Amino acid sequence: MNSKILDKKELRNIPEEFLNKIIEESKKENQEIYLKLEKKDFNEKSKEFKEYKKVIRKKLRTLYGVFQNQQLNETKRKKYLEILRKETKEEKNILEKILKSHLSTKERITYFNRVYSKIIEICGKPKKIADLACGFNPFSYFYWNLNLEYLASDISEIDLDFIQKFFASQNIKGNTTSGDLTNENFQSKIIKKIRDYDTCLLFKALDSLEYLKKGSSTKLLLKIPCKNIIISFPSKTISGKNVIKGKRHWFLEALKQKNSEGWEIHEFEIGPEIYYLLKKPQTVLSNNSKKT
Ligand SMILES: C[S@@+](CC[C@H](N)C(=O)[O-])C[C@H]1O[C@@H](n2cnc3c(N)ncnc32)[C@H](O)[C@@H]1O
């Protein structure tokens, strides 16, 4: 079934477990089409098959960031890494190409400077960053203009392998850990690892986790030990329409809890993304919710 919905090329970098979960969830959400499709023995020529295929592809685009045409195959990844190891003038160009091959970083590429400056303005300069459900965001490392220690985590081992090699090519003190962030054991493992990290990025990550397992993102969010947590969501759909606010009740509840514990909450919109910066109070507990 998976190989009928996506061809081999498209499936290449998507972790199977993740794909299966999306297909399972989509079955529940689109039961009517699925049942008709089942009756037609998953006939590839049927109207329902085309409809179902569209639904899955859309989900993959928003939850995984798959950008079919521009996915980097193994050969391209190797070629890019070779160039990056050589410290040529090409470096910037290659990093941009990599960032543009993933939907989320492609959309963020013109805003990285603004986003990172804003974070520094509110939190000060980070020293150790944990980037969870990171996609290709670690390739934006140089936009920080800082000498950072970096931990990148995602469900995709193939992407993390690429990131680890990028860290090595640039002598970045970086590490990668793969796992499913909806899984509580993995959540505990990652929390232990980032105990002494000051900053945690959860860019366009929580919707994916919540879709795969309801409640998992709140559990994770409330456990994160870093003093600065930056969460982002798309503020526009892929077609540019505004995303309706207020859908994420679970997130508002988590924010309320953080706020009642004295965390500052800063909200800002840059490009097609809305950011929530949660800052732990140092000494005096304040109950501020700031719009910055
Ligand atoms: C929309 S992309 C965002 C990527 C990146 N944070 C960014 O904004 O550039 C969602 C990312 O979450 C990862 N992901 C999805 N489900 C996950 C899970 N259960 N555990 C860990 N990572 C997951 C995907 O592999 C993908 O890289």
Side-chain angles (χ1 to χ4, degrees), residues 162-176:
F162 189 34
I163 291 166
Q164 187 68 68
K165 287 176 177 150
F166 157 67
F167 286 155
S169 77
Q170 306 300 305
N171 291 323
I172 294 168
K173 216 172 168 196
N175 270 306
T176 55

Side-chain angles (χ1 to χ4, degrees), residues 116 119-120 123-132 134 137-138 140-153 167 172-176 190 193-203 226 228-230:
Y116 293 164
I119 296 173
I120 292 172
C123 308
K125 291 179 185 169
K127 288 193 175 75
K128 291 179 95 171
I129 290 186
D131 193 347
L132 307 187
C134 64
N137 198 59
S140 70
Y141 180 92
F142 292 111
Y143 287 90
W144 285 102
N145 267 318
L146 295 170
N147 189 12
L148 293 166
E149 215 175 303
Y150 210 101
L151 180 102
S153 179
F167 286 155
I172 294 168
K173 216 172 168 196
N175 270 306
T176 55
I190 206 89
K193 275 204 173 208
I194 65 172
R195 250 190 323 227
D196 62 339
Y197 280 64
D198 49 80
T199 302
C200 177
L201 308 180
L202 279 161
F203 288 170
C226 312
N228 305 307
I229 307 172
I230 303 102

Side-chain angles (χ1 to χ4, degrees), residues 22 43 50 81 111 152-153 169 175 183 197 202 209 222 226 239 247-248 250 255 257 261 268 281:
I22 289 190
N43 181 348
K50 284 180 190 142
L81 283 169
Y111 304 104
S153 179
S169 77
N175 270 306
N183 176 306
Y197 280 64
L202 279 161
L209 306 185
L222 298 178
C226 312
S239 62
K247 260 187 175 177
R248 300 179 185 101
W250 52 271
L255 282 188
Q257 181 161 341
E261 289 166 10
F268 51 90

